Amino acid sequence: MSLNPPSSATESPIDAASVDTAITSRMSVRAFLPQPVPRETIEHLLQLASRAPSGTNTQPWKVYVLQGASRDTLVEKCCAAHDALRADPSLASEYREEYDYYPEKWVSPYIDRRRENGWGLYGLLGITKGDKDKMHAQHQRNFRFFDAPVGFMFTIDRVMGRGSLMDYGMFMQNLMVAARGHGLHTCPQAAWNGFAKIILPHIGAGDNEMLVCGMSLGYADPADKVNTFITPREPVESFTHWLT
């Protein structure tokens, strides 16, 4: 299905309520149904996502779609590495992220929000502090794409600057919001980044490519209680400064 670009800057918004709903209903789903997603649908979502803005229209995104055997084999490789890392923490030096997603030093209010997120999720799942087995198993759900039938790996050319990562975020947000319009859900995942040395050769990425993150795509499992976990958002007045 082809899409027509905007005809002009004066084109009127269409069905604002549906756009609002697509944005507000987006969440990080952590349990998916095995129901397959047609290739045509995935292609359509990616074409929609490609309308994201980027500095001087550089369009720095490169997407790898994993389904079937390619998906399952990557899951096996990364789950095995995750288990090995737990058994031998000294292997951590082999599995490092290529860029810092999180800060080296956490400060308030960010550490407070992070803790609230962790306590909320693990509390819902009945995972108590110190229960390392359950924590490991839940973390490994990332490397199973939360059972989603479709996995994405996003890469970027290493020559690009920091601004291109901002462009990439807008591309991914377009993809996630577009997915909601088609009854699908997603989960963007930086958890994969530490296993780039496994992922990049698996997907056939070039030496010039850096892993940005992964993402799960599929139909949410409405029966799994993990999907009742909704993260809060700060009110507008807490992060907005009006200058007149």
Side-chain angles (χ1 to χ4, degrees):
M1 183 185 299
S2 61
L3 297 174
N4 294 321
S7 58
S8 72
T10 58
E11 188 171 297
S12 299
I14 300 173
D15 194 0
S18 293
V19 176
D20 290 355
T21 300
I23 294 171
T24 57
S25 66
R26 187 218 61 80
M27 58 179 285
S28 292
V29 162
R30 295 179 174 86
F32 291 85
L33 297 172
Q35 182 179 346
V37 181
R39 176 168 177 158
E40 309 83 68
T41 300
I42 300 171
E43 290 178 343
H44 181 63
L45 296 178
L46 290 170
Q47 191 172 14
L48 288 168
S50 74
R51 292 304 309 169
S54 59
T56 62
N57 200 33
T58 49
Q59 304 175 66
W61 35 82
K62 187 167 185 178
V63 184
Y64 295 86
V65 184
L66 295 105
Q67 296 174 283
S70 66
R71 173 206 174 279
D72 297 345
T73 302
L74 182 62
V75 166
E76 292 174 5
K77 290 178 181 178
C78 289
C79 284
H82 186 234
D83 287 339
L85 188 56
R86 184 192 182 191
D88 183 3
S90 70
L91 294 174
S93 60
E94 296 183 23
Y95 300 112
R96 293 189 180 278
E97 299 178 339
E98 194 163 341
Y99 71 96
D100 294 328
Y101 186 87
Y102 292 112
E104 290 185 11
K105 181 180 179 181
W106 286 94
V107 298
S108 292
Y110 315 112
I111 185 61
D112 307 313
R113 295 169 186 163
R114 177 181 172 88
R115 286 170 176 164
E116 180 185 27
N117 185 75
W119 291 336
L121 176 61
Y122 285 122
L124 176 67
L125 299 175
I127 301 174
T128 58
K129 185 177 181 180
D131 194 338
K132 295 182 179 179
D133 290 340
K134 288 185 178 179
M135 286 183 177
H136 179 78
Q138 180 57 34
H139 189 227
Q140 192 167 102
R141 295 280 296 147
N142 278 281
F143 310 122
R144 299 183 185 279
F145 290 108
F146 298 108
D147 297 329
V150 181
F152 293 112
M153 288 296 160
F154 304 102
T155 71
I156 191 170
D157 195 309
R158 289 191 174 93
V159 303
M160 303 305 286
R162 290 184 181 181
S164 291
L165 288 176
M166 183 170 70
D167 298 340
Y168 222 122
M170 292 185 277
F171 170 83
M172 291 176 60
Q173 178 72 0
N174 267 7
L175 177 58
M176 292 185 285
V177 171
R180 291 301 303 122
H182 290 261
L184 294 156
H185 270 287
T186 55
C187 186
Q189 300 165 263
W192 292 98
N193 291 6
F195 293 131
K197 64 180 293 184
I198 296 173
I199 296 166
L200 294 174
H202 179 85
I203 61 178
D207 293 339
N208 62 310
E209 293 176 57
M210 179 181 75
L211 182 66
V212 175
C213 68
M215 183 185 291
S216 302
L217 171 76
Y219 295 94
D221 183 352
D224 196 310
K225 66 180 179 181
V226 73
N227 288 334
T228 65
F229 180 65
I230 307 297
T231 52
R233 292 294 185 272
E234 292 294 311
V236 171
E237 58 267 25
S238 75
F239 59 79
T240 305
H241 300 272
W242 299 93
L243 306 176
T244 59

